[in-house]
């Protein structure tokens, strides 16, 4: 919750001391009508003025609230009710202002659960912008890479219809840029996941598996828990072909140094893939990419 | 328009009387009209004829008739009241006190007040005569009970007995000396101005949250808002107050850096005015017991 300057509670308390003692407390009748939203706007304003200053009456109001199971929470106000409310408030400028404020708050409530009005805080906008930036920085290069390499396994998804079926060459490679930890959009993962199948089916001589910025969730649990990464690869390989992973081919993220003290090596490989997000089977690794295995 | 059948629009008066079911409790149409007139005079003295008719129509007429009949001592009304509210009174008391023994005591005490055991001049002295039907009778009972609780039990809690102090081993602990108050006058002035510019509802929200420690849900229910609205309001108030106080400090000649420093200073760095903290709540009895007016016929008026 937001912090107000510490002087504010102090001055609020001080105002309570100075003013509330001299004020006449609202009758139980008025407080009841206040709680049940049955007061006229001027009367409600009067009660609120007192409540803002009187701790005892504020406590009485809270104590007098019905038990939560019996309470009727404010429901969404229908447009007709809102119109009626605004019409009533026209009788007084101050009342109108108060009603409009409450109407605005209801609009804010709507925006919290839906899209009608974009009453978003700057933090939410920043989060959205960061999400878009991640998508642009991560997904777009991956898609571009697919487009730039017509003979690569990933790209072959686009021309699989004309590609002849056939097993991948024994010297296909599995390459990785850098071990990544960040997830990527699921759609991109699926595209990349489908690519090697088609690419390998096209009869290319070489295929390389590239890692990218993804912690791809396997749609099907690997049958071989010892070889999770390879197990996932096995799903995209035709029968007779296997992926050979070189587990020392990339630098492990530092967290695995700590994790290794608590988790067995095979568990690190099976559960965490040792930091590899996802990999792609490509014909030739590009400069700077890390080859993490090969197809045999 | 008068709601007295013989002097005004009898059709409305008859309709209200019929709706109230007051006849079942032995309240005549004349007596009921007198009750309504008294309530009108109190809460809508300058209302037009139509407004007064609307005002009366919006009252909880049936519960009003029941309460006034009980206050007048009608046995059938009491039977209805007991069957409807006796059990609820104990539930309300338990909800308020969170303690079985205190709840029973509070409920029984209120029930005695409602029944009017303190008879005066042979007539009952029932608290129900103050119910005017603007809210539900159940809500009114809850509010009366809450006020009684604030009067009796909360103040008792503050006064720690010597026994309790002894149990805690604190009977010989000297009180901390009460320091003098030395706040920056400019900061106080700027803060007071900023607070004065807020609406009553905003000040109520601030006081409930920051002084009383109420939850967002409690504040929301008291104001008839959604919890998220209260949360956003507090966000807005926090930001706005900070800006307004800074502006106020700069208007008094402070530089931006000085104003920021003054605002960020923890009040704990200052010496607190403990006297005002201790006397923030009202004196001996917050909600003084009201004298019940002498009954005039069966329908007592406010």
């Amino acid at each position: 919750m937001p912090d107000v300057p510490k002087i504010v509670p102090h001055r609020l308390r001080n105002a309570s001391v100075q003013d509330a003692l001299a004020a006449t407390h609202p009758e139980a009748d008025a407080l009841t009508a206040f709680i049940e939203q049955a007061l006229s706007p001027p009367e409600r304003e009067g009660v609120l003025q007192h409540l803002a200053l009187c701790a005892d009456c504020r406590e009485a109001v809270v104590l007098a609230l019905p038990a939560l199971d019996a309470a009727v929470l404010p429901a969404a106000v229908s447009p007709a009710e809102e119109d009626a409310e605004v019409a009533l408030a026209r009788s007084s400028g101050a009342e109108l202002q108060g009603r409009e404020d409450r109407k605005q708050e209801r609009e804010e409530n709507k925006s919290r659960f839906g899209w009608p009005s974009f009453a978003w805080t700057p933090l939410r906008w920043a989060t959205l912008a960061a999400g878009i930036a991640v998508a642009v920085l991560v997904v777009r290069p991956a898609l571009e890479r697919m487009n730039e390499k017509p003979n690569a396994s990933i790209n072959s998804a686009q021309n699989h219809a004309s590609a002849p079926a056939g097993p991948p060459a024994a010297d296909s490679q599995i390459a990785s840029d850098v071990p990544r930890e960040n997830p990527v959009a699921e759609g991109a993962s699926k595209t990349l996941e489908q690519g090697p199948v088609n690419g390998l089916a096209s009869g290319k001589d070489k295929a390389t598996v590239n890692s990218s910025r993804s912690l791809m969730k396997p749609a099907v649990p690997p049958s071989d828990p010892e070889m999770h990464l390879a197990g996932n690869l096995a799903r995209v390989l035709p029968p007779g072909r296997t992926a050979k992973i070189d587990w020392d081919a990339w630098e492990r993220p530092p967290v695995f140094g700590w994790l290794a003290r608590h988790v067995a090596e095979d568990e690190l490989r099976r559960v965490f893939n040792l930091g590899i997000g996802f990999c792609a089977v490509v014909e030739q690794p590009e400069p700077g990419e890390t080859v993490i295995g090969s197809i045999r | 328009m008068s709601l007295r059948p013989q002097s005004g629009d009898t059709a409305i008066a008859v309709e209200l009387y019929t709706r109230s079911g007051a006849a079942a409790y032995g309240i005549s149409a004349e007596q009921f009209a007198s009750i309504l007139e008294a309530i009108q005079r109190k809460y809508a003295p300058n209302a037009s004829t139509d407004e007064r008719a609307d005002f009366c129509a919006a009252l909880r007429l049936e519960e009003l008739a029941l309460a006034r009949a009980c206050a007048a001592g009608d046995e059938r009304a009491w039977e209805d009241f007991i069957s409807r509210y006796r059990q609820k009174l104990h539930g309300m008391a338990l909800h308020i006190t969170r303690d079985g023994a205190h709840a029973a005591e509070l409920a029984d005490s209120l029930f005695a007040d409602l029944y009017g055991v303190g008879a005066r001049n042979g007539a009952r002295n029932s608290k129900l005569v103050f119910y005017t039907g603007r809210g539900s009778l159940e809500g009114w009972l809850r509010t009366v009970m809450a006020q009684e609780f604030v009067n009796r039990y909360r103040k008792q809690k503050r006064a720690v007995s010597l026994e309790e102090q002894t149990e805690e081993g604190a009977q010989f602990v000297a009180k901390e000396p009460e320091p003098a108050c030395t706040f920056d006058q400019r900061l106080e002035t700027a803060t007071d101005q900023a607070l004065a510019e807020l609406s009553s509802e905003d000040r109520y929200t601030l006081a409930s949250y920051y002084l009383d420690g109420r939850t967002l849900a409690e504040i929301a229910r008291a104001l008839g808002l959604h919890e998220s609205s209260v949360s956003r309001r507090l966000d807005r108030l926090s930001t706005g107050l900070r800006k307004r106080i800074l502006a106020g400090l700069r208007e008094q000649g402070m530089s931006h850096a000085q104003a920021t420093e003054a605002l960020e200073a923890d009040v704990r760095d200052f010496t607190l005015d403990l006297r005002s903290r201790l006397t923030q709540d009202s004196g001996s009895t917050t909600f003084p017991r009201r004298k019940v007016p002498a009954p005039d016929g069966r329908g007592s008026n406010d």
Side-chain angles (χ1 to χ4, degrees):
Chain A
M1 264 287 101
D3 283 333
V4 291
K6 293 183 174 64
I7 185 71
V8 171
H10 177 80
R11 297 309 295 169
L12 279 170
R13 187 180 291 117
N14 202 50
S16 302
V17 176
Q18 290 173 354
D19 298 337
L21 292 177
T24 305
H25 298 286
E27 296 171 3
D29 181 63
L31 289 182
T32 305
F34 170 80
I35 292 168
E36 296 181 356
Q37 314 294 323
L39 285 180
S40 65
E43 270 189 297
R44 186 173 189 275
E45 175 64 19
V47 171
L48 274 169
Q49 280 179 3
H50 179 83
L51 288 177
L53 298 170
C54 181
D56 286 338
C57 284
R58 285 198 302 272
E59 175 156 19
V61 164
V62 172
L63 289 172
L65 289 171
L68 199 56
D69 52 355
V72 179
L73 295 176
V77 178
S78 68
E81 286 171 333
E82 286 190 3
D83 291 343
E85 198 175 51
V86 172
L88 278 172
R90 282 198 191 101
S91 58
S92 155
E95 291 171 22
L96 179 62
Q97 186 60 43
R99 299 278 182 173
E100 287 297 324
D101 287 346
R102 283 193 282 281
K103 187 176 176 184
Q104 184 185 351
E105 283 176 357
R106 283 196 293 273
E107 288 297 324
E108 289 173 3
N109 285 342
K110 286 180 191 171
S111 69
R112 185 179 176 87
F113 302 107
W115 290 92
S117 72
F118 269 72
W120 282 23
T121 63
L123 184 60
R124 290 177 185 151
W125 282 112
T127 306
L128 178 63
I132 293 170
V134 166
V136 169
L137 291 174
V138 175
V139 178
R140 192 175 168 189
L143 294 175
E144 284 175 353
R145 197 179 308 133
M146 290 162 54
N147 292 328
E148 286 168 2
K149 297 182 66 180
N151 58 348
S153 58
I154 309 173
N155 269 347
S156 62
Q158 296 173 349
N159 43 15
H160 65 281
S162 59
D171 58 349
S172 298
Q173 289 181 307
I174 307 167
S176 165
D177 291 336
V178 178
R180 308 286 189 181
E181 294 180 46
N182 298 331
V184 77
E186 188 179 349
S189 301
K190 285 179 179 172
T191 305
L192 294 169
E193 195 177 352
Q194 291 165 359
V197 177
N198 298 321
L200 292 168
S202 67
K204 303 299 179 187
D205 291 337
K206 285 186 176 180
T208 307
V209 182
N210 281 343
S211 74
S212 184
R213 196 177 287 271
S214 171
L215 280 173
M216 184 172 60
K217 265 188 175 177
V220 179
S223 55
D224 180 4
E226 296 298 320
M227 296 290 286
H228 182 69
L229 182 57
N232 280 336
L233 281 171
R235 293 192 296 113
V236 302
L237 296 178
R241 297 293 180 189
T242 57
K244 175 69 175 173
I245 304 296
D246 177 7
W247 294 102
D248 298 320
W250 65 94
E251 185 181 350
R252 300 182 181 193
V255 68
F256 286 100
W258 171 82
L259 204 56
R261 296 202 294 271
H262 307 279
V263 181
E265 173 70 15
D266 59 342
E267 193 81 356
L268 292 178
R269 294 180 181 182
R270 180 173 61 84
V271 178
F272 301 104
N273 290 335
L274 286 175
I276 291 293
F278 73 82
C279 53
V281 179
V282 297
E283 188 178 26
Q284 286 289 343
E286 292 190 351
E289 290 180 333
T290 303
V291 178
I292 63 170
S294 60
I295 305 296
R296 296 184 185 275
Chain B
M1 179 195 77
S2 167
L3 289 170
R4 287 178 183 275
Q6 75 275 19
S7 61
D9 190 344
T10 54
I12 294 176
V14 167
E15 185 196 338
L16 296 176
Y17 180 67
T18 306
R19 272 178 52 197
S20 72
Y25 302 130
I27 298 177
S28 67
E30 173 79 14
Q31 288 169 331
F32 194 69
S34 297
I35 293 170
L36 292 182
E37 272 196 354
I39 297 171
Q40 264 182 25
R41 279 197 302 272
K42 185 173 181 181
Y43 295 114
N46 302 318
S48 66
T49 304
D50 288 344
E51 287 170 341
R52 280 191 284 173
D54 290 343
F55 175 84
C56 287
L59 295 176
R60 306 261 188 158
L61 296 172
E62 195 270 340
E63 292 171 47
L64 177 63
L66 174 64
R68 294 308 176 95
C70 286
D74 184 87
E75 289 304 319
R76 184 177 169 188
W78 268 108
E79 285 174 13
D80 281 357
F81 183 84
I82 288 171
S83 67
R84 286 193 211 176
Y85 297 110
R86 184 68 197 258
Q87 198 63 34
K88 285 182 178 176
L89 279 175
H90 284 276
M92 293 172 197
L94 195 58
H95 171 68
I96 289 173
T97 62
R98 311 280 180 191
D99 177 89
H102 281 154
E105 187 183 343
L106 183 64
D108 291 344
S109 166
L110 178 61
F111 198 77
D113 286 344
L114 296 173
Y115 191 76
V117 288
R120 192 174 54 194
N121 299 329
R124 282 186 179 178
N125 185 15
S126 170
K127 246 183 183 175
L128 281 166
V129 77
F130 295 115
Y131 176 68
T132 60
R134 293 202 298 166
S136 68
L137 182 54
E138 187 178 333
W140 182 82
L141 291 170
R142 213 167 22 236
T143 306
V144 171
M145 192 177 278
Q147 289 181 326
E148 186 67 18
F149 176 75
V150 172
N151 271 347
R152 294 166 61 175
Y153 294 101
R154 201 172 65 94
K155 290 183 188 304
Q156 281 177 14
K157 265 190 199 172
R158 289 199 196 118
V160 181
S161 68
L162 184 61
E163 249 176 50
E164 287 170 317
Q165 286 186 356
T166 307
E167 286 170 7
E168 293 170 4
Q171 72 275 34
F172 297 120
V173 175
K175 273 188 170 182
E176 288 185 10
E178 188 173 314
C181 180
T182 55
F183 278 99
D184 187 320
Q185 187 62 42
R186 291 175 296 180
L187 182 58
E188 286 186 351
T189 305
T191 306
D192 289 346
Q193 283 175 351
L195 288 172
E197 290 170 4
L198 297 178
S199 69
S200 303
E201 195 165 300
D202 285 347
R203 285 200 302 275
Y204 169 76
T205 307
L206 282 173
S208 295
Y209 190 77
Y210 291 105
L211 289 188
D212 306 340
R214 294 296 170 199
T215 64
L216 295 178
E218 287 171 332
I219 299 170
R221 289 172 63 205
L223 293 176
L225 298 172
H226 194 280
E227 202 174 323
S228 59
S229 296
V230 178
S231 174
R232 276 192 291 277
R233 176 179 293 182
L234 284 169
D235 275 332
R236 174 173 56 81
L237 288 173
S238 170
T239 310
L241 273 174
R242 188 176 295 275
K243 284 181 183 172
R244 187 66 195 89
I245 295 172
L246 280 174
L249 290 173
R250 295 183 71 178
E251 284 169 9
Q252 296 179 70
M254 281 192 180
S255 69
H256 180 73
Q258 286 174 325
T260 306
E261 187 181 353
L263 189 58
E264 296 305 325
D266 192 329
V267 285
R268 287 171 298 189
D269 297 340
F270 298 101
T271 47
L272 292 179
D273 182 3
L274 291 184
R275 179 179 290 119
S276 58
R277 292 186 65 172
L278 291 170
T279 55
Q280 91 169 26
D281 300 315
S282 310
S284 55
T285 303
T286 300
F287 307 107
R289 287 174 169 270
R290 299 169 63 195
K291 286 184 180 177
V292 179
D296 180 18
R298 289 181 73 86
S300 300
N301 302 334
D302 279 348

